[in-house]
Amino acid sequence: NLYSLHAARVNFVPYQFRPVLKLIRSDRPRILIADEVGVGKTIEAGLILRELQARRDIRSVLILCPKPLVTERKWVLEMKRFDEDFMQFDGATLRNAIREMDLNGVWEDTYSKCILPFSLFDDQLLWGNRQHGRRRQLGLMDLDPPPHFDLVIVDEAHHLRNPNTYVHQGVRFFVENAEAVVFLSATPIQLESEIGRAHV
């Protein structure tokens, strides 16, 4: 049974349930949805969220995406179709969440459903800093234990291809500590084969 079948104000489009089926049948809930622009990848992510909520206790959800999608409130509006309210993070909110987790040892319920733009990931946010001998400002990487999310959704995942970027490192930090992960990308990931390189 698919519990997400009528769980949102969206039109029924059969192919949008393929990722749901694939994820719930997998041993480790990880999936990459790579498709053309405009075919409903955000809806597919919402259907996955609804299906997981029906099958297990999903309380914390993090959406990571480029800043324009935050500015345009794309994910906030899409998630309202699933009756979900998400908080959009800015730098001050995220630093506050990091401080509170350092003090309390848990990611606060206030921030349990949040949207974080890639643009926030920089050297100070990841690794913290020390200013003129004052107490060091904590970074994400200082958190022990790290924040755990039941579901992490990464939109436009093709921006993560370079492992040397802060965006890659920040997203990886959250993904490695997540129960389920959904990557969305409109750009096919090009993997050059050893055979192809041999003929160049």
Side-chain angles (χ1 to χ4, degrees):
N1 290 332
L2 279 178
Y3 301 102
S4 56
L5 203 53
H6 303 291
R9 294 183 296 280
V10 297
N11 294 327
F12 173 70
V13 182
Y15 75 82
Q16 291 179 334
F17 289 89
R18 286 184 199 148
V20 177
L21 289 167
K22 186 166 185 173
L23 189 78
I24 62 176
R25 290 173 178 161
S26 63
D27 293 331
R28 190 167 188 229
R30 301 281 192 271
I31 192 169
L32 166 64
I33 303 172
D35 217 331
E36 297 298 320
V37 173
V39 297
K41 291 185 293 296
T42 52
I43 290 174
E44 291 170 342
L47 292 171
I48 287 171
L49 169 58
R50 271 286 176 264
E51 192 67 33
L52 291 176
Q53 286 173 329
R55 292 170 180 270
R56 60 182 84 168
D57 190 17
I58 300 289
R59 296 186 182 183
S60 56
V61 182
L62 172 65
I63 298 171
L64 300 159
C65 62
K67 186 174 182 177
L69 301 183
V70 177
T71 306
E72 296 162 8
R73 303 185 72 238
K74 176 189 173 184
W75 275 99
V76 167
L77 297 174
E78 286 290 340
M79 290 297 100
K80 284 192 180 299
R81 298 170 76 174
F82 295 88
D83 298 317
E84 295 285 346
D85 291 318
F86 276 77
M87 172 189 290
Q88 295 192 142
F89 269 29
D90 57 20
T93 312
L94 183 54
R95 283 190 292 275
N96 191 54
I98 291 170
R99 274 194 302 273
E100 289 185 20
M101 182 165 184
D102 180 53
L103 289 171
N104 303 322
V106 293
W107 190 263
E108 294 295 322
D109 287 342
T110 311
Y111 311 120
S112 63
K113 290 183 179 170
C114 53
I115 302 167
L116 198 159
F118 292 158
S119 58
L120 291 184
F121 293 120
D122 61 18
D123 184 58
Q124 287 189 13
L125 183 82
L126 292 177
W127 306 102
N129 67 357
R130 188 185 303 275
Q131 297 175 338
H132 309 296
R134 292 187 321 190
R135 186 180 183 274
R136 183 172 177 263
Q137 179 182 318
L138 290 174
L140 270 175
M141 302 299 179
D142 294 311
L143 295 176
D144 186 21
H148 173 90
F149 283 88
D150 299 319
L151 174 63
V152 170
I153 299 169
V154 183
D155 199 359
E156 297 199 17
H158 49 277
H159 290 291
L160 311 178
R161 285 178 292 186
N162 184 350
N164 298 316
T165 63
Y166 294 130
V167 173
H168 180 100
Q169 294 167 28
V171 171
R172 182 173 183 163
F173 173 78
F174 284 112
V175 164
E176 286 180 343
N177 298 293
E179 182 68 27
V181 179
V182 175
F183 283 93
L184 308 174
S185 178
T187 304
I189 296 174
Q190 302 299 318
L191 298 175
E192 187 180 31
S193 68
E194 294 295 325
I195 295 171
R197 282 200 293 270
H199 289 292
V200 173

